């Protein structure tokens, strides 16, 4: 993990030599008064460093699993019944692979180390405030014993989960949760704590600020959290909730549960979401391409990358609409070079521009449009800070300027950069000198650009900066005109919804009937019960959202679409949040994978709240973010360098090779947990989650889907990321910020 607080945990005992060939103790944590979790790792990965590629491999010193599973290998000594020492009643285990490496010699294969969580179940409860020694001689290399103090108010428990960033005082719902899956022992029952108390403890004074009684939120055997086969209950354990919704006093607190333990700390403050917003916006800056990352602005600095001054960028005849070109060896290039092709962002360790990139300015501008008072100039450490424009719009423009530079005089727009190779080990973005290409212009990207340019122009008006509005609207108009006349057979159905979005934007910007007519022609949302999105059929949310915010729109049509937007948000996002134990909402049929539980799925809720003022939508925005910011069974904030514990296995070569001690840059949101898919392939490579899942014990199919995340930086379904999702997270957190000061 990126960081772990070890509050109150003492790792003691004699150190033994590394050559003893034993695993290493990582952390010891209380689960409850009868359960202790011991985290052990088997070794480490050996990776390339900047400019020094190595044959990556792992150094492994395996844990003796048979010995670790025997109750006779452990002795607990302490107060009361433990005075003379007692063996555990039983031992459980859960194991995952980590530190994956892909050596290229003698042949391509995958190696990994393992990390284990040994679950010690005691025959008698530990007494509050007492110290206990846990002895395990010969089991790990760096300790023979350790000491823990059982104190529910002071010692953190892995079973207590809470939003580590915190809560705004006026949030309708404020919850901490209690649950624990003990691997081959299954979900721990907390029934014996029924009637116990939980307390909100002021971290500064130690005083109890609020108390209540935990309640069962959802049983392990309850209704599934998703409708995809194999997902079942996302926790595989009973879930208890600690409701402190009525508490509003600002401060820093922990939630402590009798007989269990306390949570990581969190704050209650009016602008508590500012840290998450700034963090994720910094993640976007860290992925900027075509520019150096200034050491005065970030510790994860690097030099100029992918700029035509370093190597030519060639024009390709391939359209993005025909599919991404990842490391294409045979590229239909031309003799033309594009000196204006620089800017935009990288995704993870890919230097190309994927289809989701045009969403970055759209999402950021939507957040500004809905809550312009939440954002200000100078709050982000970016080069444009201090120019008089809110920084969120500066970041949106950084993305848009890339496509505007690539726009042809006749209006056509290209998505931009792709390469004929993948990055090499040890290679950061500023080391890459391969063959670089831009896609040919296509109507889909041109419509996307037109829609985003119009939304940005609208935001300039809100920001009181109208001077550039005509330039952006005219650029959007030209992109529309080109796209209308450069469609190939079969293009029309593929681009219908994108065209409609561009039409809505241009109608709002110009009021011209031609764009109004184009919007209505492609509109499939014809009743208030029609969804704005349906897999494989339509995705008209962006267009409808713009129209609902257009003053000159047809009043009757606008009213109907406003109701449709609210109904869709209620049905597909709000209602699923009420059904899932941890109250996070997204369409029930979407499988748990590809960032669905690490990126708050709140934009439909935010728009519905803006359109209707119904506070139920805002309440669900908060609870979605509770889960992504630490209120989950892994106790992870899904934003690097934020909170008390974050994911450390993220795939970000620029961070590995330029960051302090090879750490990942702040503000990155990885794809995260990936449900077990019984229909998946054999698990042979990094693009298949199965290749890490086969290291799991118990078998991956029996794990809680929310815990199927592996610190395997070369497992792309879990540890890659895309900038569109970082932008979506930034928008979600920014919309919950207080008005900027």
């Amino acid at each position: 993990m990126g960081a772990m607080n070890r509050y109150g945990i003492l790792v003691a005992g004699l150190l033994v030599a590394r050559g003893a060939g034993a695993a290493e103790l990582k952390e010891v944590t209380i689960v409850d008064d009868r359960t202790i979790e011991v985290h052990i790792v088997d070794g480490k990965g050996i990776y390339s460093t900047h400019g020094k590629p190595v044959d990556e491999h792992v150094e492994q010193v395996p844990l003796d699993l048979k010995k670790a599973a025997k109750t006779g290998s452990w002795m607990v000594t302490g107060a009361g019944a433990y005075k003379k020492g007692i063996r555990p009643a039983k031992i459980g285990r859960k194991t995952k692979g980590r530190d994956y490496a892909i050596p290229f010699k003698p042949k391509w294969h995958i190696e990994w180390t393992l990390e284990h969580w040994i679950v010690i179940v005691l025959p008698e409860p530990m007494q509050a405030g007492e110290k206990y020694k846990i002895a395990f001689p010969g089991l790990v290399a760096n300790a023979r014993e350790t000491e823990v103090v059982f104190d529910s108010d002071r010692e953190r428990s892995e079973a207590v989960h809470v939003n580590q960033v915190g809560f705004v005082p006026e949030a309708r719902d404020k919850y901490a949760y209690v649950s624990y899956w003990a691997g081959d022992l299954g979900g721990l029952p907390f029934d014996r704590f029924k009637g116990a108390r939980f307390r909100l403890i002021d971290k500064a004074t130690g005083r109890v600020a609020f108390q209540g009684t935990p309640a069962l939120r959802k049983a392990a055997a309850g209704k599934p959290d998703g409708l995809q086969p194999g997902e079942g209950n996302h926790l595989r354990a009973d879930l208890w909730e600690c409701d402190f919704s009525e508490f509003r006093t600002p401060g820093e607190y922990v939630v402590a549960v009798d007989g269990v333990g306390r949570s990581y700390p969190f704050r209650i403050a009016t602008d508590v979401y500012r840290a998450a917003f700034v963090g994720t916006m910094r993640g976007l800056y860290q992925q900027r391409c075509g520019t150096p990352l200034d050491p005065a602005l970030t510790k994860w600095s690097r030099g100029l990358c992918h700029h035509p001054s370093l190597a030519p960028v060639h024009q390709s005849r391939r359209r993005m609409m025909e599919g991404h070109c990842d490391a294409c060896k045979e590229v239909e290039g031309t003799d033309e070079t594009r000196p204006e092709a620089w800017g935009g962002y990288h995704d993870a360790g890919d230097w190309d521009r994927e289809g989701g990139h045009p969403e970055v300015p759209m999402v950021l501008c939507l957040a500004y449009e809905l809550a312009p008072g939440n954002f200000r100039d100078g709050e982000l450490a970016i080069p444009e800070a201090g120019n008089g424009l809110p920084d969120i719009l500066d970041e949106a423009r950084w993305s848009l300027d890339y496509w505007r530079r690539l726009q042809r005089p006749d209006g056509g727009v290209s998505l931009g950069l792709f390469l004929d190779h993948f990055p090499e080990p040890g290679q950061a973005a500023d080391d890459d000198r391969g063959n670089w290409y831009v896609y040919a212009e296509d109507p889909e990207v041109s419509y996307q650009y037109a829609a985003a340019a119009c939304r940005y122009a609208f935001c300039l008006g809100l920001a009181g900066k109208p001077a550039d509005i005509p330039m952006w609207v005219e650029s959007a108009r030209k992109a529309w005109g080109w796209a209308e006349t450069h469609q190939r057979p079969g293009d029309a159905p593929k681009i219908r919804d994108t065209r409609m979005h561009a039409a809505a934007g241009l109608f709002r910007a110009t009021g011209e009937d031609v764009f109004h007519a184009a919007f209505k022609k492609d509109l499939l949302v014809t009743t208030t019960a029609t969804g704005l999105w349906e897999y494989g059929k339509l995705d008209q949310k962006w267009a409808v959202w713009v129209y609902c915010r257009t003053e000159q729109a047809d009043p009757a049509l606008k009213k109907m679409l406003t109701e449709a937007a609210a109904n869709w948000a209620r049905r597909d996002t709000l209602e699923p949040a009420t059904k899932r134990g941890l109250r996070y909402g997204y369409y029930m049929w979407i499988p748990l994978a590809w960032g669905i539980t690490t990126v708050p799925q709140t934009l439909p809720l935010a728009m519905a709240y803006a359109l209707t003022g119904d506070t139920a939508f805002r309440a669900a925005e908060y609870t979605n973010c509770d889960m992504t910011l630490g209120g989950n069974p892994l106790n992870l904030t899904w934003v690097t360098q934020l909170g008390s514990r974050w994911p450390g296995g993220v795939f970000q070569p620029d961070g590995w090779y330029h960051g302090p001690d090879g750490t990942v840059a702040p503000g990155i949101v990885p794809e995260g947990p990936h449900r077990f898919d019984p229909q998946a392939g054999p698990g042979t490579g990094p693009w298949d989650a199965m290749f890490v899942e086969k290291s799991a014990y118990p078998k991956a199919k029996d794990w809680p889907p929310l815990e199927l995340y592996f610190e395997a930086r070369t497992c792309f379904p879990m540890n890659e990321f895309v900038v569109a999702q970082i932008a979506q997270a930034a928008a979600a957190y920014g919309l919950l910020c207080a008005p900027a000061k």
Side-chain angles (χ1 to χ4, degrees), residues 598-617:
T598 62
V599 180
Q601 307 298 308
T602 59
L603 292 187
L605 298 168
M607 180 57 72
Y609 175 63
L611 294 174
T612 69
D614 186 342
T615 56
F617 294 118

PDB file of all heavy atoms in Angstrom, residues 598-617:
ATOM      1  N   THR A 598     -13.929   2.988  -8.338  1.00  0.00           N
ATOM      2  CA  THR A 598     -12.871   3.909  -7.911  1.00  0.00           C
ATOM      3  C   THR A 598     -13.138   5.337  -8.372  1.00  0.00           C
ATOM      4  O   THR A 598     -12.579   6.283  -7.811  1.00  0.00           O
ATOM      5  CB  THR A 598     -11.493   3.463  -8.440  1.00  0.00           C
ATOM      6  OG1 THR A 598     -11.511   3.467  -9.873  1.00  0.00           O
ATOM      7  CG2 THR A 598     -11.150   2.063  -7.942  1.00  0.00           C
ATOM      8  N   VAL A 599     -13.977   5.487  -9.386  1.00  0.00           N
ATOM      9  CA  VAL A 599     -14.371   6.796  -9.904  1.00  0.00           C
ATOM     10  C   VAL A 599     -15.820   7.044  -9.501  1.00  0.00           C
ATOM     11  O   VAL A 599     -16.700   6.272  -9.869  1.00  0.00           O
ATOM     12  CB  VAL A 599     -14.248   6.845 -11.439  1.00  0.00           C
ATOM     13  CG1 VAL A 599     -14.656   8.223 -11.960  1.00  0.00           C
ATOM     14  CG2 VAL A 599     -12.834   6.496 -11.881  1.00  0.00           C
ATOM     15  N   PRO A 600     -16.114   8.089  -8.741  1.00  0.00           N
ATOM     16  CA  PRO A 600     -17.507   8.316  -8.338  1.00  0.00           C
ATOM     17  C   PRO A 600     -18.422   8.491  -9.549  1.00  0.00           C
ATOM     18  O   PRO A 600     -18.174   9.346 -10.406  1.00  0.00           O
ATOM     19  CB  PRO A 600     -17.436   9.613  -7.517  1.00  0.00           C
ATOM     20  CG  PRO A 600     -16.009   9.747  -7.110  1.00  0.00           C
ATOM     21  CD  PRO A 600     -15.204   9.124  -8.214  1.00  0.00           C
ATOM     22  N   GLN A 601     -19.462   7.680  -9.615  1.00  0.00           N
ATOM     23  CA  GLN A 601     -20.386   7.719 -10.759  1.00  0.00           C
ATOM     24  C   GLN A 601     -21.514   8.714 -10.461  1.00  0.00           C
ATOM     25  O   GLN A 601     -22.691   8.353 -10.374  1.00  0.00           O
ATOM     26  CB  GLN A 601     -20.935   6.321 -11.015  1.00  0.00           C
ATOM     27  CG  GLN A 601     -19.879   5.244 -11.162  1.00  0.00           C
ATOM     28  CD  GLN A 601     -18.965   5.481 -12.355  1.00  0.00           C
ATOM     29  OE1 GLN A 601     -19.439   5.689 -13.483  1.00  0.00           O
ATOM     30  NE2 GLN A 601     -17.662   5.453 -12.135  1.00  0.00           N
ATOM     31  N   THR A 602     -21.153   9.978 -10.316  1.00  0.00           N
ATOM     32  CA  THR A 602     -22.095  10.951  -9.770  1.00  0.00           C
ATOM     33  C   THR A 602     -22.576  12.021 -10.738  1.00  0.00           C
ATOM     34  O   THR A 602     -23.437  12.831 -10.369  1.00  0.00           O
ATOM     35  CB  THR A 602     -21.464  11.662  -8.556  1.00  0.00           C
ATOM     36  OG1 THR A 602     -20.257  12.320  -8.969  1.00  0.00           O
ATOM     37  CG2 THR A 602     -21.161  10.680  -7.445  1.00  0.00           C
ATOM     38  N   LEU A 603     -22.074  12.072 -11.962  1.00  0.00           N
ATOM     39  CA  LEU A 603     -22.491  13.151 -12.856  1.00  0.00           C
ATOM     40  C   LEU A 603     -23.990  13.137 -13.136  1.00  0.00           C
ATOM     41  O   LEU A 603     -24.622  14.210 -13.158  1.00  0.00           O
ATOM     42  CB  LEU A 603     -21.686  13.106 -14.156  1.00  0.00           C
ATOM     43  CG  LEU A 603     -20.189  13.441 -14.022  1.00  0.00           C
ATOM     44  CD1 LEU A 603     -19.540  13.524 -15.391  1.00  0.00           C
ATOM     45  CD2 LEU A 603     -19.973  14.737 -13.254  1.00  0.00           C
ATOM     46  N   PRO A 604     -24.632  11.975 -13.351  1.00  0.00           N
ATOM     47  CA  PRO A 604     -26.092  12.002 -13.518  1.00  0.00           C
ATOM     48  C   PRO A 604     -26.803  12.569 -12.293  1.00  0.00           C
ATOM     49  O   PRO A 604     -27.806  13.289 -12.421  1.00  0.00           O
ATOM     50  CB  PRO A 604     -26.450  10.533 -13.748  1.00  0.00           C
ATOM     51  CG  PRO A 604     -25.201   9.910 -14.289  1.00  0.00           C
ATOM     52  CD  PRO A 604     -24.088  10.617 -13.578  1.00  0.00           C
ATOM     53  N   LEU A 605     -26.292  12.250 -11.097  1.00  0.00           N
ATOM     54  CA  LEU A 605     -26.885  12.779  -9.869  1.00  0.00           C
ATOM     55  C   LEU A 605     -26.695  14.285  -9.775  1.00  0.00           C
ATOM     56  O   LEU A 605     -27.618  15.024  -9.395  1.00  0.00           O
ATOM     57  CB  LEU A 605     -26.248  12.108  -8.655  1.00  0.00           C
ATOM     58  CG  LEU A 605     -26.427  10.596  -8.519  1.00  0.00           C
ATOM     59  CD1 LEU A 605     -25.490  10.050  -7.442  1.00  0.00           C
ATOM     60  CD2 LEU A 605     -27.868  10.235  -8.208  1.00  0.00           C
ATOM     61  N   ALA A 606     -25.501  14.748 -10.111  1.00  0.00           N
ATOM     62  CA  ALA A 606     -25.205  16.177 -10.024  1.00  0.00           C
ATOM     63  C   ALA A 606     -26.091  16.974 -10.974  1.00  0.00           C
ATOM     64  O   ALA A 606     -26.601  18.055 -10.621  1.00  0.00           O
ATOM     65  CB  ALA A 606     -23.729  16.429 -10.329  1.00  0.00           C
ATOM     66  N   MET A 607     -26.281  16.451 -12.179  1.00  0.00           N
ATOM     67  CA  MET A 607     -27.123  17.156 -13.130  1.00  0.00           C
ATOM     68  C   MET A 607     -28.583  17.140 -12.679  1.00  0.00           C
ATOM     69  O   MET A 607     -29.292  18.155 -12.763  1.00  0.00           O
ATOM     70  CB  MET A 607     -26.984  16.534 -14.518  1.00  0.00           C
ATOM     71  CG  MET A 607     -27.828  17.210 -15.580  1.00  0.00           C
ATOM     72  SD  MET A 607     -27.516  18.986 -15.764  1.00  0.00           S
ATOM     73  CE  MET A 607     -25.908  18.956 -16.554  1.00  0.00           C
ATOM     74  N   ALA A 608     -29.045  15.989 -12.176  1.00  0.00           N
ATOM     75  CA  ALA A 608     -30.426  15.912 -11.696  1.00  0.00           C
ATOM     76  C   ALA A 608     -30.647  16.873 -10.534  1.00  0.00           C
ATOM     77  O   ALA A 608     -31.705  17.514 -10.436  1.00  0.00           O
ATOM     78  CB  ALA A 608     -30.752  14.477 -11.282  1.00  0.00           C
ATOM     79  N   TYR A 609     -29.662  16.983  -9.649  1.00  0.00           N
ATOM     80  CA  TYR A 609     -29.771  17.920  -8.533  1.00  0.00           C
ATOM     81  C   TYR A 609     -29.822  19.359  -9.044  1.00  0.00           C
ATOM     82  O   TYR A 609     -30.629  20.184  -8.573  1.00  0.00           O
ATOM     83  CB  TYR A 609     -28.589  17.732  -7.583  1.00  0.00           C
ATOM     84  CG  TYR A 609     -28.542  18.729  -6.453  1.00  0.00           C
ATOM     85  CD1 TYR A 609     -29.554  18.780  -5.498  1.00  0.00           C
ATOM     86  CD2 TYR A 609     -27.486  19.628  -6.338  1.00  0.00           C
ATOM     87  CE1 TYR A 609     -29.510  19.703  -4.451  1.00  0.00           C
ATOM     88  CE2 TYR A 609     -27.435  20.550  -5.300  1.00  0.00           C
ATOM     89  CZ  TYR A 609     -28.448  20.578  -4.363  1.00  0.00           C
ATOM     90  OH  TYR A 609     -28.408  21.493  -3.341  1.00  0.00           O
ATOM     91  N   ALA A 610     -28.982  19.672 -10.033  1.00  0.00           N
ATOM     92  CA  ALA A 610     -28.965  21.027 -10.585  1.00  0.00           C
ATOM     93  C   ALA A 610     -30.286  21.364 -11.272  1.00  0.00           C
ATOM     94  O   ALA A 610     -30.750  22.512 -11.216  1.00  0.00           O
ATOM     95  CB  ALA A 610     -27.810  21.177 -11.572  1.00  0.00           C
ATOM     96  N   LEU A 611     -30.893  20.376 -11.911  1.00  0.00           N
ATOM     97  CA  LEU A 611     -32.123  20.621 -12.664  1.00  0.00           C
ATOM     98  C   LEU A 611     -33.360  20.661 -11.780  1.00  0.00           C
ATOM     99  O   LEU A 611     -34.336  21.359 -12.097  1.00  0.00           O
ATOM    100  CB  LEU A 611     -32.303  19.549 -13.743  1.00  0.00           C
ATOM    101  CG  LEU A 611     -31.274  19.543 -14.885  1.00  0.00           C
ATOM    102  CD1 LEU A 611     -31.496  18.338 -15.784  1.00  0.00           C
ATOM    103  CD2 LEU A 611     -31.357  20.836 -15.691  1.00  0.00           C
ATOM    104  N   THR A 612     -33.355  19.892 -10.684  1.00  0.00           N
ATOM    105  CA  THR A 612     -34.575  19.741  -9.883  1.00  0.00           C
ATOM    106  C   THR A 612     -34.464  20.309  -8.474  1.00  0.00           C
ATOM    107  O   THR A 612     -35.490  20.599  -7.849  1.00  0.00           O
ATOM    108  CB  THR A 612     -34.954  18.259  -9.764  1.00  0.00           C
ATOM    109  OG1 THR A 612     -33.978  17.582  -8.949  1.00  0.00           O
ATOM    110  CG2 THR A 612     -35.043  17.597 -11.135  1.00  0.00           C
ATOM    111  N   GLY A 613     -33.265  20.411  -7.937  1.00  0.00           N
ATOM    112  CA  GLY A 613     -33.095  20.828  -6.554  1.00  0.00           C
ATOM    113  C   GLY A 613     -33.437  19.759  -5.545  1.00  0.00           C
ATOM    114  O   GLY A 613     -33.424  20.015  -4.335  1.00  0.00           O
ATOM    115  N   ASP A 614     -33.705  18.526  -6.000  1.00  0.00           N
ATOM    116  CA  ASP A 614     -34.052  17.425  -5.100  1.00  0.00           C
ATOM    117  C   ASP A 614     -32.796  17.002  -4.335  1.00  0.00           C
ATOM    118  O   ASP A 614     -31.835  16.484  -4.919  1.00  0.00           O
ATOM    119  CB  ASP A 614     -34.606  16.256  -5.915  1.00  0.00           C
ATOM    120  CG  ASP A 614     -35.121  15.116  -5.048  1.00  0.00           C
ATOM    121  OD1 ASP A 614     -34.755  15.049  -3.855  1.00  0.00           O
ATOM    122  OD2 ASP A 614     -35.862  14.262  -5.578  1.00  0.00           O
ATOM    123  N   THR A 615     -32.797  17.195  -3.017  1.00  0.00           N
ATOM    124  CA  THR A 615     -31.600  16.931  -2.221  1.00  0.00           C
ATOM    125  C   THR A 615     -31.260  15.450  -2.106  1.00  0.00           C
ATOM    126  O   THR A 615     -30.151  15.117  -1.670  1.00  0.00           O
ATOM    127  CB  THR A 615     -31.764  17.522  -0.813  1.00  0.00           C
ATOM    128  OG1 THR A 615     -32.949  16.981  -0.209  1.00  0.00           O
ATOM    129  CG2 THR A 615     -31.859  19.035  -0.876  1.00  0.00           C
ATOM    130  N   ALA A 616     -32.176  14.555  -2.486  1.00  0.00           N
ATOM    131  CA  ALA A 616     -31.846  13.126  -2.480  1.00  0.00           C
ATOM    132  C   ALA A 616     -30.704  12.843  -3.453  1.00  0.00           C
ATOM    133  O   ALA A 616     -29.865  11.968  -3.202  1.00  0.00           O
ATOM    134  CB  ALA A 616     -33.073  12.295  -2.844  1.00  0.00           C
ATOM    135  N   PHE A 617     -30.665  13.576  -4.559  1.00  0.00           N
ATOM    136  CA  PHE A 617     -29.574  13.384  -5.517  1.00  0.00           C
ATOM    137  C   PHE A 617     -28.242  13.844  -4.908  1.00  0.00           C
ATOM    138  O   PHE A 617     -27.218  13.174  -5.053  1.00  0.00           O
ATOM    139  CB  PHE A 617     -29.858  14.148  -6.808  1.00  0.00           C
ATOM    140  CG  PHE A 617     -31.042  13.636  -7.585  1.00  0.00           C
ATOM    141  CD1 PHE A 617     -32.144  14.433  -7.809  1.00  0.00           C
ATOM    142  CD2 PHE A 617     -31.056  12.350  -8.081  1.00  0.00           C
ATOM    143  CE1 PHE A 617     -33.233  13.973  -8.523  1.00  0.00           C
ATOM    144  CE2 PHE A 617     -32.140  11.866  -8.800  1.00  0.00           C
ATOM    145  CZ  PHE A 617     -33.238  12.686  -9.016  1.00  0.00           C
TER     146      PHE A 617
END
